Amino acid sequence: EEELRKLREETTTEMLRQELEKERQRRIELEQKINEAPKTRTEEVPAAQQPAKPPAQNNGTDKQCNTVCSRLQKWFYDKFGEYVEDFRFQPEESTVETEEPLSAKRLTENLRRLKRGAKPVTDFVKNLSALSDWYSIYTSAIAFIIYMNAVWHGWAIPLFLFLAILRLSLNYLIARGWRIQWSIVPDVSEPMEQPKEDLTVSEKFQLVLDVAQKVQNLFGKMADILEKIKNLFMWVQPEITQKLYIALWAAFIASCFLPYKILGIGLGLYVGTKFFLVDFIFKRCPRLRAKYDTPYIIWISLLTDPQLKERSNATVSRRLKCHCSDFGIVFLFLQLQTVSSRSCVGTSAPTGISKDEDTSRLHTTKKGNFHEVFNLSENERPLAVSENGWRCCLINRDKKMPTDYIRHGILYVTENYLCFESSKSGLSKKNKVIKLADITDIQKYKVLSVLPGSGMGIAVSTPSTQKPLIFGAMVHRDEAFEAILTQYVKITSATSTNES
């Protein structure tokens, strides 16, 4: 409506009248030229026929030759001028197809046209399937006998041509009004819905969704078939393409040495036996088909591009899982060995010495005294649960350098701090001290999602870091988490009580 309104506003009657007058003048001029053309021809012919008095004999002969040539040209042009004009080269015109606007009525009409146009093809496929499935035993038996006899005597091609002529003849009789049913499967007439003139917005939207779903499924099936054929010929699955390669070589050698009559008979007998007998048995026995139907097995085994992508991703994840599991087993073995050595050292200590008296032994790290390593006060000592610490690796996702991203060491928890001692350097800047009161969130964490279980890490969030700090690869993760969480709750509750 808006376009029509714009056209009405833009175009005026005066402009249309002027264009109409120009066209009338042009038509009148063309009619005058057409009427004058025969007169000029009749005037030229008598002038050419009147013999002019030649001043000399040579001039007369020249004019006579010119008149003969002109007559020949005129006769040739009258006879073959139309065909010569057909062979005249003209520049190619670029035509742009106009696309129709989206309309629900047009969409439903096109769907019905597509169903009607595809009905002969679908009926033909149904009849072939019914012949192979022996839907009608007598019809399939007669067709099998006639086909095998025709192939054996070399009449396969005449048989197909005769069937095509018979089909066209029956179609002619049906078009004349005869009632002839040429179908093995009875035709079931589907109720045709009358097209609605006016559709609501919801009905139009549902119609577009239905059409989009059908188009999506159709394109998906076509893409699957084309991708399987492409992957078969591009050696994407070499074990399947190798069978086709060998079969083609065998067919090539047979075509070079065997007569074509024998090849045709053999191929025809194979097709008839497979279509009428072998496929019928395979359809009734799915297990037998899955074992011995080679074309079916090859077609099912062919993968599409999305399936190949999923398969490659699954292979990569499986390999990563195997490597991670191997790394986890080795790391677990090392952790158990370390814990056992620490427990042996702890049991060999004298029983008469208390923890306060032997502070240098129980509250020291590899690099020195505990409070000196972490720059804390002397009263900050590891809790009884973390006397020996928990071996782990610190993953700082705020760092970009690999050396700073992951650091191995030991994690301790005191009354007020969470301390991580790096095992690669004795410098205090490589160690990490986190105040329990500054922690905003603490929870269990799974570093590698591909590994089974709930993980072996603890995530600690602080205001000074953009991303949580991860203490991963902890064998006794649950024990460490409970100890840290208990002390954290105790500190936060005490802080909130003091503030209140």
Side-chain angles (χ1 to χ4, degrees):
E1 290 177 357
E2 290 179 359
E3 291 178 357
L4 289 173
R5 183 174 56 79
K6 291 179 181 178
L7 290 174
R8 288 170 185 169
E9 292 177 355
E10 292 176 358
T11 57
T12 58
T13 56
E14 294 297 331
M15 294 174 63
L16 293 176
R17 287 177 182 176
Q18 292 177 2
E19 292 180 358
L20 184 61
E21 290 295 331
K22 290 180 182 179
E23 294 294 333
R24 285 178 181 174
Q25 293 293 334
R26 191 178 301 172
R27 183 176 61 82
I28 293 170
E29 291 176 359
L30 290 175
E31 288 180 354
Q32 291 177 357
K33 289 181 180 180
I34 292 171
N35 294 328
E36 291 175 357
K39 294 180 180 179
T40 54
R41 286 186 178 180
T42 54
E43 290 176 357
E44 290 176 356
V45 171
Q49 290 178 356
Q50 290 178 2
K53 294 181 179 180
Q57 188 175 0
N58 292 332
N59 295 331
T61 55
D62 292 339
K63 289 182 179 180
Q64 189 175 2
C65 291
N66 292 331
T67 55
V68 172
C69 292
S70 63
R71 288 178 182 178
L72 287 175
Q73 290 178 357
K74 181 181 178 183
W75 176 83
F76 182 80
Y77 185 79
D78 292 339
K79 292 291 184 181
F80 304 102
E82 183 179 358
Y83 303 104
V84 172
E85 291 293 332
D86 293 339
F87 284 96
R88 180 175 293 179
F89 291 98
Q90 295 179 357
E92 185 178 358
E93 298 179 358
S94 59
T95 58
V96 180
E97 296 182 0
T98 58
E99 297 183 357
E100 297 182 5
L102 183 61
S103 172
K105 184 178 179 181
R106 186 66 174 172
L107 190 61
T108 53
E109 183 182 354
N110 289 339
L111 283 176
R112 292 190 180 92
R113 289 174 56 198
L114 181 62
K115 288 183 180 179
R116 290 195 298 267
K119 192 175 184 301
V121 180
T122 55
D123 291 343
F124 180 72
V125 174
K126 287 180 181 178
N127 289 325
L128 285 180
S129 179
L131 274 178
S132 178
D133 293 339
W134 292 73
Y135 181 83
S136 175
I137 298 176
Y138 299 106
T139 305
S140 297
I142 293 172
F144 176 70
I145 294 170
I146 292 174
Y147 174 79
M148 286 297 185
N149 192 14
V151 170
W152 183 257
H153 291 88
W155 298 340
I157 296 177
L159 175 65
F160 289 121
L161 294 176
F162 174 74
L163 289 176
I165 295 170
L166 181 62
R167 180 72 243 187
L168 286 176
S169 303
L170 291 175
N171 289 340
Y172 174 77
L173 296 177
I174 292 171
R176 286 292 181 179
W178 290 41
R179 293 184 179 181
I180 300 173
Q181 183 179 358
W182 178 264
S183 178
I184 302 172
V185 183
D187 190 10
V188 179
S189 60
E190 298 180 356
M192 296 292 293
E193 297 181 359
Q194 296 297 329
K196 297 181 181 180
E197 296 296 333
D198 296 329
L199 296 176
T200 61
V201 177
S202 61
E203 290 176 347
K204 291 180 180 179
F205 184 71
Q206 186 63 35
L207 178 63
V208 172
L209 287 180
D210 294 339
V211 174
Q213 184 179 5
K214 291 179 181 179
V215 171
Q216 171 190 338
N217 297 333
L218 178 62
F219 284 0
K221 292 178 181 178
M222 294 173 62
D224 290 342
I225 294 172
L226 294 176
E227 285 177 356
K228 284 188 175 185
I229 296 173
K230 185 247 313 178
N231 294 334
L232 176 63
F233 285 95
M234 293 303 295
W235 293 84
V236 177
Q237 295 174 268
E239 66 278 1
I240 297 177
T241 310
Q242 186 178 3
K243 298 178 181 179
L244 176 64
Y245 190 71
I246 295 172
L248 290 176
W249 271 110
F252 172 73
I253 294 171
S255 65
C256 291
F257 293 99
L258 295 178
Y260 285 101
K261 184 177 181 180
I262 297 176
L263 287 175
I265 293 173
L267 183 61
L269 293 176
Y270 168 75
V271 171
T273 306
K274 180 170 176 51
F275 181 79
F276 285 99
L277 301 178
V278 177
D279 286 346
F280 174 75
I281 297 172
F282 282 154
K283 288 178 182 178
R284 295 296 184 273
C285 305
R287 293 184 179 179
L288 195 66
R289 184 177 191 177
K291 290 182 179 179
Y292 301 105
D293 193 358
T294 304
Y296 174 78
I297 294 171
I298 290 175
W299 183 255
I300 294 298
S301 301
L302 285 171
L303 301 178
T304 60
D305 290 347
Q307 291 174 348
L308 287 171
K309 188 175 181 180
E310 292 178 0
R311 186 177 178 181
S312 61
N313 293 336
T315 304
V316 171
S317 62
R318 196 181 300 114
R319 290 178 180 176
L320 180 61
K321 187 184 293 184
C322 293
H323 290 312
C324 292
S325 61
D326 294 340
F327 172 75
I329 291 171
V330 173
F331 187 79
L332 178 61
F333 176 74
L334 294 175
Q335 285 286 69
L336 292 175
Q337 186 177 3
T338 306
V339 171
S340 61
S341 62
R342 285 177 176 269
S343 62
C344 292
V345 172
T347 54
S348 62
T351 56
I353 302 174
S354 63
K355 295 180 181 180
D356 295 334
E357 292 175 354
D358 198 6
T359 305
S360 62
R361 180 178 62 81
L362 293 178
H363 302 308
T364 57
T365 62
K366 290 183 178 181
K367 308 300 184 297
N369 294 329
F370 187 88
H371 64 279
E372 295 176 356
V373 172
F374 295 103
N375 295 326
L376 300 174
S377 60
E378 294 183 0
N379 58 353
E380 286 295 333
R381 299 174 182 177
L383 298 178
V385 183
S386 64
E387 286 181 352
N388 298 320
W390 299 289
R391 185 173 292 276
C392 63
C393 61
L394 174 60
I395 303 175
N396 190 356
R397 293 185 292 177
D398 291 339
K399 303 292 183 179
K400 295 183 179 180
M401 294 299 293
T403 56
D404 298 329
Y405 185 80
I406 298 177
R407 283 180 285 171
H408 298 277
I410 302 174
L411 181 65
Y412 299 92
V413 60
T414 65
E415 291 181 358
N416 299 303
Y417 295 93
L418 190 64
C419 304
F420 175 81
E421 181 188 8
S422 179
S423 60
K424 291 186 178 181
S425 176
L427 299 176
S428 60
K429 65 179 182 179
K430 292 292 183 180
N431 300 329
K432 191 73 176 177
V433 178
I434 304 172
K435 195 173 181 179
L436 293 176
D438 296 337
I439 295 176
T440 58
D441 186 22
I442 177 172
Q443 58 183 349
K444 295 180 181 180
Y445 188 80
K446 189 175 182 180
V447 180
L448 297 175
S449 59
V450 297
L451 293 178
S454 59
M456 300 172 64
I458 298 174
V460 177
S461 301
T462 60
S464 61
T465 56
Q466 296 179 358
K467 297 180 180 179
L469 296 172
I470 308 298
F471 299 94
M474 299 178 67
V475 178
H476 303 285
R477 191 276 306 271
D478 295 335
E479 177 187 352
F481 180 79
E482 292 295 333
I484 298 170
L485 183 61
T486 302
Q487 190 64 24
Y488 170 72
V489 172
K490 188 185 296 184
I491 292 295
T492 52
S493 60
T495 304
S496 60
T497 303
N498 294 332
E499 290 177 356
S500 62

